[in-house]
Amino acid sequence: MTGATDMFDRFLNTFAAWALALLWILPLAYAVWTAVHPAAYEARFELFAPLTLDNFGKAWEAAPFARYFLNTFILVTMILAGQFFLCTLAAFAFARFEFPGRSILFTLVLLQLLVMPDILMVENYQTMRLLNLVDTIPAIALPYIASGFGIFLLRQTFMTIPKELDEAARVEGASVLGVLWKVYIPLAKPTYLAYGLVSVSHHWNNFLWPLIVTNSVDTRPVTVGLSIFSAIDSGIEWSVINAATLMTSGPLLVAFLLFQRQFVQSFMRAGIK
């Protein structure tokens, strides 16, 4: 009886996994199909339909995607560099130093995780306008530089590093920042990799805040550029729109395929399951 129950459970798990995988892959498969076939085959699924890459060329020429990609690269690089710098210093302070109010301050950092970014958009926009930064790439990046999740993740990692390594480094003459640079950061590389992939993925796909705070082609990231491109009322074919969608999501898919193993291992080592 137990064997039959286990077999039924495995069947249900396998069926659910395949069903979810199918639901996930269908939109992507349709986008790939329409992107590599002529417009006449958008709703005709013939096995031997002719293949073409013209849709990618049309999409590239119809909108300044090169500028959008450059803006997005600058944006995610700026955010990631700022997050690594601020989160490392804050996490190191919370993990290794005793100071008045440490628990209260760390609780406030954790409370940031409970605040939805969307409810702060009005205040963030007013702040950017006061700083005269509206329609600039720093205006998109600044609200995300201080990350409560990053501070929490790095603090938990730093607390697992034995304090004896601190003492050994201090005996060798290392300063406080020297200990951080030579001991803590190298030992936390898997956590940095995992957090970096999550951060880049999130901010590459971020849409609402960049849409609000940008007004020109010179500052729009790919997500906003793609939405405006697909909304143009000029008879653009779905095959061209899907080709543009694949172009904008392609770098993330390639990065995930290249670093899939390191990504999973990093989160397992960081204790996030």
Side-chain angles (χ1 to χ4, degrees):
M1 190 68 181
T2 303
T5 303
D6 292 342
M7 186 178 298
F8 183 68
D9 287 342
R10 284 197 297 271
F11 170 77
L12 286 181
N13 291 332
T14 304
F15 177 79
W18 276 101
L20 291 175
L22 189 62
L23 287 175
W24 178 83
I25 200 67
L26 275 179
L28 181 62
Y30 176 74
V32 173
W33 170 272
T34 53
V36 298
H37 290 89
Y41 294 91
E42 288 177 354
R44 291 170 53 194
F45 304 105
E46 296 182 9
L47 183 60
F48 298 104
L51 299 175
T52 179
L53 295 178
D54 291 344
N55 297 322
F56 293 94
K58 291 179 182 177
W60 187 265
E61 294 173 356
F65 279 104
R67 182 68 198 187
Y68 294 155
F69 276 110
L70 177 62
N71 293 341
T72 306
F73 177 77
I74 295 173
L75 172 65
V76 296
T77 303
M78 185 183 300
I79 293 176
L80 189 62
Q83 287 179 335
F84 276 175
F85 180 74
L86 289 180
C87 293
T88 298
L89 295 179
F92 185 61
F94 282 124
R96 284 296 182 253
F97 294 105
E98 296 287 345
F99 53 88
R102 187 181 73 161
S103 299
I104 296 176
L105 290 175
F106 187 65
T107 302
L108 293 176
V109 170
L110 294 181
L111 286 177
Q112 183 193 354
L113 301 177
L114 305 178
V115 179
M116 294 295 293
D118 295 353
I119 66 175
L120 300 175
M121 284 186 177
V122 174
E123 288 77 9
N124 287 338
Y125 188 86
Q126 290 175 341
T127 303
M128 295 305 144
R129 191 174 59 181
L130 288 174
L131 296 174
N132 198 24
L133 290 176
V134 173
D135 198 24
T136 63
I137 294 178
I140 310 174
L142 279 177
Y144 300 99
I145 294 296
S147 169
F149 175 66
I151 294 173
F152 169 75
L153 189 64
L154 288 173
R155 173 188 177 269
Q156 297 304 106
T157 302
F158 289 163
M159 291 185 70
T160 63
I161 297 174
K163 290 186 178 179
E164 289 77 8
L165 294 178
D166 289 39
E167 298 168 358
R170 298 301 296 270
V171 169
E172 293 293 331
S175 62
V176 174
L177 292 180
V179 173
L180 173 63
W181 180 254
K182 296 180 180 177
V183 177
Y184 282 83
I185 292 177
L187 292 176
K189 279 183 180 178
T191 303
Y192 280 105
L193 175 61
Y195 178 70
L197 289 173
V198 171
S199 175
V200 169
S201 174
H202 174 75
H203 295 293
W204 186 284
N205 293 316
N206 194 11
F207 172 72
L208 187 55
W209 173 243
L211 175 66
I212 293 173
V213 81
T214 60
N215 302 315
S216 64
V217 172
D218 293 337
T219 57
R220 285 177 187 144
V222 288
T223 49
V224 179
L226 177 63
S227 67
I228 295 174
F229 165 75
S230 60
I232 295 175
D233 189 17
S234 58
I236 293 179
E237 302 164 353
W238 276 106
S239 53
V240 178
I241 294 175
N242 283 326
T245 303
L246 289 180
M247 285 194 305
T248 58
S249 59
L252 286 182
L253 290 174
V254 172
F256 180 75
L257 292 176
L258 289 177
F259 298 104
Q260 182 181 8
R261 177 174 298 179
Q262 292 87 343
F263 180 76
V264 175
Q265 290 178 349
S266 298
F267 269 96
M268 292 184 67
R269 290 171 184 170
I272 298 176
K273 302 177 181 178

